[in-house]
Amino acid sequence: MKITAMTMEHLSGVASLERQCFSQPWSERVLEAELQNPNGVFLTAMEDETLAGYVGMHRVLDEGYIANVAVDENYRRRGVATMLLEELLAFARQNKLGFLTLEVREGNIPAIAFYSKMGFREVGRRRGFYAHPTEDAILMTIFL
C-alpha cells in the first residue's frame, strides 16, 4: 500500500469511492476544486493501480479540519484508514498544526472507535448535522 498526494488522475476513482461510502457524496467537480485549494491536503492509498482509500483535510492557520476519510469496502479492516491518518498526522506535526478535528455520525460506532484508537477525543456535538438519515455529528479532536 502506498500513500500519495491526490492528483487529477485519482478524481474519478475518488468520486466513485465517495458514492460508495457517503449518503451525500462529493462530486468529481467538487473534488477537482479541492485539488486547486492551497489549504487542502488530500491523500490517496493505492495498492498497485487500485484506489483503496483517501483522506482530505483543510488547513486554517495552525488548525486542521478533516473533511473525509473513505476506504473501499474491499479494503476495510486492512489498516488503510490507519495509514492515511498516520500520514495526515505526520503532515500536521511537520507543519506545526495545533490540532486536527473531524465530524462523525453518532451512529457510526466503528468509526468512532477507530478515531478514539488514533487519539481523537469527543469535544462536542452538532445536532441534526447529517441528512439521509438525520443524525447528530460527534466532533472529535486530537491535540498535537
Side-chain angles (χ1 to χ4, degrees), residues 23-110:
S23 64
Q24 295 182 290
W26 287 7
S27 69
E28 197 167 324
R29 178 182 279 174
V30 169
L31 290 162
E32 184 176 351
E34 290 297 341
L35 282 181
Q36 308 306 317
N37 181 348
N39 295 314
V41 179
F42 286 78
L43 305 172
T44 60
M46 303 294 297
E47 185 168 82
D48 298 319
E49 298 299 313
T50 303
L51 176 69
Y54 97 102
V55 64
M57 178 185 80
H58 299 106
R59 289 182 295 166
V60 179
L61 302 173
D62 66 343
E63 304 169 358
Y65 296 90
I66 298 173
N68 291 338
V69 178
V71 176
D72 185 285
E73 58 193 14
N74 297 313
Y75 287 89
R76 292 185 186 154
R77 304 227 178 266
R78 293 174 53 185
V80 174
T82 299
M83 286 185 275
L84 285 164
L85 274 184
E86 284 175 346
E87 189 73 22
L88 204 56
L89 285 163
F91 173 89
R93 288 184 177 103
Q94 194 172 23
N95 287 275
K96 301 192 181 343
L97 300 186
F99 65 85
L100 298 183
T101 194
L102 57 83
E103 293 125 354
V104 59
R105 284 181 178 271
E106 70 177 334
N108 192 344
I109 304 305

Side-chain angles (χ1 to χ4, degrees), residues 107-129:
N108 192 344
I109 304 305
I112 293 168
F114 167 70
Y115 296 131
S116 295
K117 180 185 87 166
M118 294 296 295
F120 287 78
R121 298 293 171 249
E122 183 175 337
V123 295
R125 179 178 293 258
R126 289 198 170 115
R127 303 263 179 232
F129 182 78

